Amino acid sequence: MAIFWIYKVWILLLPIFDSAVSSYSEDQCSWRGSGLSQQPGSVEQISLHCSEGALDWLYPKGALRLTLSPRLTSAAVGPGGSSSGLITACVKPSEHFHGAQLYLERDGVLELLVGDRLETSPPPRVRCFSRLPGEKVALFLQATPHQDISRRIASFRYELRGDWTARLSLDSNPIISNEGACRPCNNTELLMAVCTSDFVVRGNIKAVDEDSELRAAVIKVSATQVFRQKYTLFTGTGRLTRTGEIRTLLQCGVRPGVGSFLFTGRVHFGEAWLGCAPRYKDFLQAYAQAKLAQQLPCEMAVD
């Protein structure tokens, strides 16, 4: 195994990191460094502790060892609001990812996720995977030899979630299952999604386009009420309406239609992805029933 430590970047998803760390970024979420500053044959130790961040490895050479031990907040877990130890991770390489290859290692078996790209190669896709409790999972980022490394940068963003069974997948060759991704939410899941989602919006479907690169449906939404948005997803100059886009799997078969919906979901690498999306009148009925039974996980101003 020592050979791998010399030539590969290890990104380990561990619940506890108890060894010394030589360097990390001040915010403990991202790291940026250069292979030119490393001694030949050295392995630089890095540790990050956030549920999302980025790594920029300029002029890849030598090796890094990066450990991720995220402190997942309640907002980072799925609609259930609790964690069973499952962690889902997604990695989004930059469009100009060069100079390295990215592998997933699971129980000693390596699988190539992102290869070293040529100038004419299409942009690499997001890759996602899950780690079960007790399962040994790692990512290896291996520098590839080049005579000219002046234009080589291996850069990617990462996200981690607990109990995020992913009602979405950007992966063109899914490692995580999409089974049940299009299943309607039951009332319990819906009410919890209202409390924990990155965005909760009432609105209408104006159009549905196709994102061929992501193999996703893009729902054009006219929002009449924004209850919550973690990021600025729905904008507009009008006083009563805002517009925005929400993505979901093509296989879910979303079509334009009349009526008002409640859209909930997660922000994934800056884009909104659909979670629960009942008709607004059905949400109001479920909300009223839970409130009467004093079983609301949280309250919101509804009309």
Side-chain angles (χ1 to χ4, degrees):
M1 286 300 291
I3 296 177
F4 285 118
W5 284 31
I6 297 298
Y7 294 102
K8 301 180 185 294
V9 176
W10 278 34
I11 305 177
L12 305 179
L13 303 179
L14 300 176
I16 301 176
F17 178 69
D18 54 4
S19 58
V21 178
S22 63
S23 66
Y24 52 80
S25 60
E26 290 185 1
D27 62 6
Q28 301 190 27
C29 298
S30 301
W31 182 89
R32 181 180 178 88
S34 169
L36 299 178
S37 63
Q38 293 180 227
Q39 296 296 323
S42 67
V43 180
E44 184 169 355
Q45 303 289 326
I46 306 164
S47 180
L48 302 177
H49 302 280
C50 300
S51 59
E52 57 186 66
L55 181 142
D56 298 306
W57 194 17
L58 284 65
Y59 323 123
K61 190 178 180 181
L64 309 175
R65 185 175 188 269
L66 171 62
T67 302
L68 294 177
S69 49
R71 305 182 182 101
L72 297 178
T73 64
S74 58
V77 302
S82 61
S83 176
S84 62
L86 176 71
I87 293 181
T88 296
C90 289
V91 176
K92 183 177 183 179
S94 69
E95 293 186 5
H96 306 290
F97 185 98
H98 292 295
Q101 297 188 36
L102 182 62
Y103 293 88
L104 170 67
E105 188 275 331
R106 190 189 300 274
D107 293 331
V109 179
L110 290 176
E111 177 181 352
L112 180 65
L113 298 183
V114 182
D116 193 1
R117 301 175 57 253
L118 302 175
E119 294 292 339
T120 57
S121 299
R125 296 183 180 276
V126 172
R127 300 304 303 269
C128 300
F129 61 92
S130 292
R131 187 211 69 182
L132 299 172
E135 188 176 23
K136 295 182 179 180
V137 176
L139 287 177
F140 295 100
L141 187 62
Q142 179 181 5
T144 52
H146 292 278
Q147 291 185 346
D148 179 13
I149 64 172
S150 62
R151 299 173 61 186
R152 310 292 172 179
I153 301 177
S155 178
F156 63 83
R157 296 162 61 188
Y158 71 86
E159 290 184 351
L160 299 97
R161 299 289 187 269
D163 281 2
W164 191 23
T165 51
R167 300 176 66 85
L168 60 95
S169 174
L170 307 187
D171 197 341
S172 59
N173 182 21
I175 301 174
I176 57 176
S177 173
N178 291 330
E179 182 179 356
C182 304
R183 175 183 60 82
C185 297
N186 59 38
N187 287 351
T188 300
E189 294 169 332
L190 168 59
L191 295 174
M192 187 58 68
V194 168
C195 301
T196 61
S197 293
D198 291 337
F199 62 89
V200 181
V201 175
R202 177 186 180 182
N204 307 307
I205 300 176
K206 292 302 182 184
V208 179
D209 296 334
E210 181 177 333
D211 187 327
S212 57
E213 180 180 337
L214 295 179
R215 299 183 183 180
V218 182
I219 307 170
K220 307 286 187 177
V221 174
S222 175
T224 57
Q225 191 171 6
V226 177
F227 294 102
R228 180 171 67 255
Q229 56 178 338
K230 184 177 180 180
Y231 306 99
T232 305
L233 304 170
F234 299 88
T235 61
T237 57
R239 184 175 63 88
L240 298 179
T241 61
R242 306 181 193 181
T243 59
E245 297 180 350
I246 303 175
R247 285 163 171 76
T248 191
L249 298 177
L250 276 175
Q251 68 195 54
C252 294
V254 177
R255 296 289 183 269
V258 298
S260 179
F261 294 84
L262 185 75
F263 300 98
T264 70
R266 296 287 185 186
V267 176
H268 193 65
F269 294 117
E271 297 174 335
W273 282 82
L274 189 64
C276 300
R279 290 191 176 274
Y280 192 69
K281 62 181 180 61
D282 294 334
F283 159 69
L284 288 179
Q285 183 179 0
Y287 186 89
Q289 291 175 351
K291 186 173 183 178
L292 184 63
Q294 297 184 345
Q295 294 179 347
L296 282 177
C298 68
E299 292 193 13
M300 57 186 292
V302 298
D303 51 20

